Amino acid sequence: MSESALLVNHLAKTYVSPRGTVTALADVSFRVAAGEFVALVGPSGCGKSTLLRLLGGQLAPEQGAIEFPGWPRPPKRRLVFQEHSLFPWMTVLDNVAFGLEMEGVARQERRAQAMAQLTVMGLADFARHYPHELSGGMRQRAAIARAFVTQPDILLMDEPLRALDAQMRLVIQDELLSLWESTRPMVFYITHDIEEALLLADRVLVMSGQPGRIREEIPSPFGRPRDLTGRTHPEIEDLKWHIWTLLEQEVKRLLQVKSK
Amino acid sequence: MQITYRIAKYLKVVLAVLLLAACTPIGEPATPTPAPVLVRVGVLPFMSNAILKIADAEGFFVEQGLTVELVPFRSSNDFVPLLLQGELDVAAPALTAGFFNAIARGGNVKIALPLTAFTPQDCPVVVVLARKSDVEAGKYASPAQWKGATIGISLAGAQGLPGYVVDLFLRQAGLTAQDVTLTALDPAVQGEALRSQQVDLLYAAEPWITRLLAGDDVVVLSRAEDVAPDLTSSFMVYGPSLLAEPEVGRRFATAYLNAVRQYHEGKTPRNVELVAEYAGLETELVQQVCWSDIPLDGAVNVDSIMLYQEWLHDLGLLDRLLSADEFLATGFVEVPE
Amino acid sequence: MAAFALGWLALWELAARAGWISRLFFPPPTTILLTLGRMLVTGNLAPALALTLYRLALGVAIGAGSGALLGWLMGSSRSVRLALDPIVTALHPLPKLAIFPIFLVLLGIGEASKVALVALTAFFPMVINTLAGVQQIDTTHWEAAANYGARGRALLQRIILPGSLPLVLVGLRLAVNGALMVTIAVEMLSAREGLGALIWLAWQTLRTEELYAVLLVIGVLGLASNSLLELTSQRLLPWKGET
């Protein structure tokens, strides 16, 4: 692995609620190289979203530290959410230009950049539309455009394709990878889908919950460019089975299913 | 919270009246019915209306074979419609343009008895007040100096009898209503309005006069009885039911005049007690205030009404001028020759 | 619906003319319309309408304007919200007309006390709806805004104001309707001019056809103001779809 651009050391986070204290993360450590695509999988409530928001700076860690030796100053980190994160009161163009607007880019310039991004993604015809006039898939693509147009150093994606059907996901995954290839930000990608994690990422961090920690790091054996259908990667079945055995007990415990 | 009550009451009564009117057509009087055992009288929380309380408490109504129900109201605004609809049999509405117009449009209500009158006495019942400081500075002392003044008056009053009386004051000095500003005031805030100089002059009646004079910063400028002596200022009005039943109307009048006789004994402990209890005032205040005259003979000063009616007509508030026999019922009182 | 309304009016006309119902309290609709026409041409209806509209507009501008400002402030600041929420909640249901005598003493008998009461009426629905408008902005939108660097003025202009606008406009409609009722009521209580004063006078003189004519004008006024607000909503909220 090349030089680490991101170091996570002994990270811990607890939430205090009226019903007691919940340890969301306990002693999480890993390192990530520049331009690496990292997927996070794990059962519900294992602290994936908490980890993502700690990385994004939305939350502050209680113990441990996140360091960015790869950048002279804190890197630009942008989030892509599950769904409905576009501002409904702005046109698609204004939504995509929003990050640039907040960075102080002049109106003409940010509109041109946003339009270029939309054109690349084939959404130019919908620039003047409002989000409610778009399909769910187009909305998520616009949300991805909003993140990419700001040229983030680190892209934090929280199950961005969760609400879409399988065919749409396949197409958007492909698009996402080609966008990533062109600018190579570091990506953290949360998903429930083990196959999606293996096919998109360079490395999969398998997490377990209560308290959240990293069970195992699995480097993806596949080269790039990827065949996202998985047909030419027969070894994927073994890896899926391996990750599933790591998660099975915990998922069954969560669901109160008796193991046989 | 008299104002709130007033508006709520107003809306409620309008609705009630509209609904009732929808169900009970008026017009030709119903076929004669037996003498009503029950006479419903709409009453206001004014000292003058205590006369009905006296008649009730002393058994004058019972003597005449009448069962009288005193129905309390806060304002007289809805008395005429309620009389017309038969909800009330007798009441003392303020004599507004509405009273005359109701008759002009075929409504069967008539003045039967006088209530209060501006009989000259040794104390005033209706006056115009001013701030003492102004009067000491030589302002407003005579009506001629009222030009440009702002005069506080009750809302209904401006287009009713109070407005007429103010107009009479102005006429004395050759002024008209155009020379002053009339401002509608609720009685509860009128003193404050005068003291804080929101109005320069105030048209006021008892018991407010006594209350305001107690502050020693307010003085009486003019008395209504000086400018309109013997004007009958309020009346007992009969609705269609009593007008159709002269016998009952006469018995009511007799009981009423018996009460007036007791009232004329003055501030006896019994009268003070009844008035205070009825109007919800402290006994002490009731003893201090000036009591209105209620004519003993039951005679209405028709000329004063005609003059007042003409004033309303000049303001454009009347459909037409009525003749005395249209608004005045006779035969209920035996007026001594 | 229109046929039903016309039928009803025709029945009313017939009943009033035939004397089945009291003409004093239910003048025939044609008489009411003629009266309205006469009042429009010769009478004092136009100045009264203008004065009522002036009181309404001024009261709504002051009350709804300050209500929206406070609502946005409460929506943006947790401490302000916690401090003021109980006060707003406690004062909101007070019958505004009950406070009128106090306003008379405080502000005098002129326009100020009337406009203040109208403003107070417009204030509460505006605060409550504006606050609700800010609070119903999706958590994801707050998070996205923060992540993309929106704070301070930009957050206010690009997120809080437009995000709360649908409920702000609902609040404005409630404010205008409430304010119209209170304007008329206050004029009935203490004004010598304005539509409310005309109603009062019509009742004082028992000229019920004038009463109905003014009520008709007020009805049209309510209809017009609501249509205008509806149109404004559609203009300002192209992103709301047809829901």
Side-chain angles (χ1 to χ4, degrees), chain A residues 39-69:
Chain A
L40 298 168
V41 295
S44 300
C46 73
K48 299 187 299 281
S49 289
T50 301
L51 178 56
L52 204 72
R53 277 156 184 77
L54 284 164
L55 290 169
Q58 258 84 13
L59 293 176
E62 235 163 45
Q63 288 166 35
I66 300 169
E67 290 164 33
F68 304 99

Side-chain angles (χ1 to χ4, degrees), chain B residues 59-99:
Chain B
F60 297 134
F61 288 131
V62 176
E63 268 173 26
Q64 298 297 322
L66 301 173
T67 307
V68 167
E69 185 191 341
L70 302 182
V71 187
F73 283 79
R74 285 274 172 149
S75 103
S76 73
N77 294 319
D78 310 309
F79 276 166
V80 170
L82 290 172
L83 286 168
L84 286 174
Q85 294 306 120
E87 288 298 297
L88 295 174
D89 301 302
V90 188
L95 224 53
T96 61
F99 171 79

Side-chain angles (χ1 to χ4, degrees), chain A residues 73-86:
Chain A
R73 57 180 159 275
K76 187 196 286 184
R77 289 154 280 171
R78 293 292 175 254
L79 274 157
V80 176
F81 300 84
Q82 289 176 2
E83 53 179 335
H84 303 310
S85 76
L86 291 182

